[in-house]
Amino acid sequence: MAVMYPKSVSDIATTIKHIWHMGHSSHLTVAARGHGHSLQGQSQTHGGIVIKMESLKVPEMQIHVGNSSPYVDVSGGELWINILHETLKYGLAPRSWTDYLHLTVGGTLSNAGVSGQAFKHGPQISNVQQLEIVTGTGEVVNCSEKQNEELFQSVLGGLGQFGIITRARILLEPAPSMVKWIRVLYSDFTEFTRDQERLISEENAFDYIEGFVIINRTGLLNNWRSSFNPQDPVQASHFKSDGKTLFCLELAKYFNFQQINIVNQVGHQELILKCNVSIN
Ligand SMILES: Cc1cc2nc3c(=O)[nH]c(=O)nc-3n(C[C@H](O)[C@H](O)[C@H](O)COP(=O)(O)OP(=O)(O)OC[C@H]3O[C@@H](n4cnc5c(N)ncnc54)[C@H](O)[C@@H]3O)c2cc1C
């Protein structure tokens, strides 16, 4: 019925309080909308009010550079890509990510937020210290593991059903200055999962580990050629995969400039062998 562009938390709270007072008989429903990227209409509501969280620009992003655990306070409608750009100015970055960063804080914290850092830090919902929520009765409530814990745990991964996230405190870590990025392709599922399980259980092996399935029918294969060293077209030409389902491990090792020689000693080839890649 309507789309609301809130400028303040109280815009949201007043609206929800009003609907709460109208009672069940009004049948009026509300949905928060982040960047609208969920696939089944989760950020829509039939005949109701959609609250477009990206227009909520408060609080302004505030980065706290503590010695032990730095964090950033952000609006629930903030995009993760903006958080990355701002925190990098302080040499910091959130600890856990999604692959794609044009998603909102409220949108991914309502799900889980899973990517290649989750094996180490847990999903994004495990890296939040505090939330501000507008509840279903229109109250504005702070919550954390120590304060209103039930609300905190319900909202995280709560699919937008337990309140609207208007502010989140996200944990940060020093951003790596350099990254070694490796893709390993497999045709055998058992080998792929065995290697993935081994790598995630090894201490300090990699900082990012993600596995995925590629169905070679969309012409995306050319993209996989980039997994090979461009100086080695011979190796790429041996990779025959037409019509096959492939499995890919994507790995990253963070390091700083002083460690460049050490990281290069564990070269691309060696890592591929270590991971028992199957390229036939
Ligand atoms: C290209 C692409 C890549 C992706 N990659 C990953 C990935 O690597 N890992 C991963 O985990 N997910 C991934 N996703 C899925 C994504 O995390 C979810 O679809 C997420 O919900 C989208 O965020 P959004 O900001 O678009 O939220 P929306 O789709 O707008 O909303 C999602 C849900 O959250 C609720 N919601 C939104 N904002 C709030 C708020 N402030 N308070 C309370 N509830 C709210 C909505 O009502 C809805 O139920 C990807 C999606 C896309 C499109």
Side-chain angles (χ1 to χ4, degrees):
M1 188 176 74
V3 179
M4 181 191 184
Y5 293 77
K7 291 284 169 261
S8 66
V9 175
S10 75
D11 284 350
I12 300 173
T14 309
T15 305
I16 294 188
K17 196 171 272 178
H18 183 70
I19 294 169
W20 168 252
H21 284 306
M22 286 166 74
H24 282 296
S25 57
S26 82
H27 298 294
L28 194 56
T29 52
V30 171
R33 182 194 191 275
H35 210 54
H37 272 321
S38 44
L39 299 177
Q40 304 287 335
Q42 290 94 328
S43 51
Q44 296 286 342
T45 178
H46 186 67
I49 301 174
V50 170
I51 303 180
K52 205 158 180 310
M53 294 304 294
E54 276 182 275
S55 66
L56 183 71
K57 301 287 182 204
V58 288
E60 211 172 293
M61 212 184 296
Q62 273 181 22
I63 297 156
H64 298 260
V65 189
N67 275 348
S68 51
S69 43
Y71 61 83
V72 58
D73 282 327
V74 290
S75 156
E78 192 59 78
L79 290 176
W80 286 98
I81 185 76
N82 296 339
I83 300 176
L84 178 63
H85 286 148
E86 282 308 306
T87 54
L88 276 180
K89 291 176 187 168
Y90 297 80
L92 297 167
R95 306 197 301 187
S96 193
W97 292 100
T98 50
D99 292 354
Y100 179 62
L101 302 184
H102 292 258
L103 304 169
T104 64
V105 167
T108 68
L109 294 186
S110 297
N111 287 276
V114 181
S115 185
Q117 300 88 356
F119 79 99
K120 207 170 181 182
H121 294 301
Q124 287 180 326
I125 53 171
S126 303
N127 293 278
V128 181
Q129 237 175 19
Q130 209 185 79
L131 296 171
E132 179 189 77
I133 304 295
V134 177
T135 67
T137 57
E139 304 303 316
V140 182
V141 178
N142 283 315
C143 60
S144 66
E145 276 179 2
K146 294 189 183 124
Q147 185 188 11
N148 300 313
E149 195 202 347
E150 197 178 1
L151 180 65
F152 184 66
Q153 304 294 1
S154 306
V155 168
L156 292 172
L159 303 174
Q161 300 303 299
F162 295 90
I164 295 186
I165 301 168
T166 46
R167 180 179 57 79
R169 178 165 291 180
I170 314 282
L171 292 172
L172 303 173
E173 67 177 4
S177 45
M178 301 186 91
V179 173
K180 180 129 189 157
W181 174 70
I182 296 158
R183 272 179 179 168
V184 190
L185 295 165
Y186 295 77
S187 53
D188 183 89
F189 183 71
T190 309
E191 273 184 51
F192 160 71
T193 51
R194 189 194 58 210
D195 283 357
Q196 184 170 26
E197 283 173 22
R198 200 186 79 206
L199 288 172
I200 61 174
S201 56
E202 259 177 33
E203 231 170 279
N204 295 326
F206 288 97
D207 297 287
Y208 175 105
I209 301 175
E210 186 167 86
F212 49 94
V213 180
I214 312 152
I215 300 169
N216 179 24
R217 62 171 180 220
T218 58
L220 276 178
L221 181 67
N222 286 335
N223 183 26
W224 299 104
R225 301 275 172 208
S226 70
S227 303
F228 296 98
N229 186 335
Q231 270 93 53
D232 193 359
V234 178
Q235 192 190 10
S237 69
H238 288 166
F239 186 79
K240 293 194 177 49
S241 63
D242 291 346
K244 278 188 186 167
T245 299
L246 300 172
F247 310 97
C248 180
L249 274 185
E250 191 170 45
L251 312 163
K253 180 82 185 157
Y254 302 164
F255 61 104
N256 58 39
F257 197 69
Q258 289 76 31
Q259 296 165 306
I260 194 162
N261 289 333
I262 303 167
V263 171
N264 279 336
Q265 276 165 22
V266 187
H268 200 118
Q269 292 302 324
E270 194 181 331
L271 279 163
I272 286 178
L273 289 173
K274 202 173 154 198
C275 297
N276 289 326
V277 67
S278 163
I279 58 166
N280 295 313

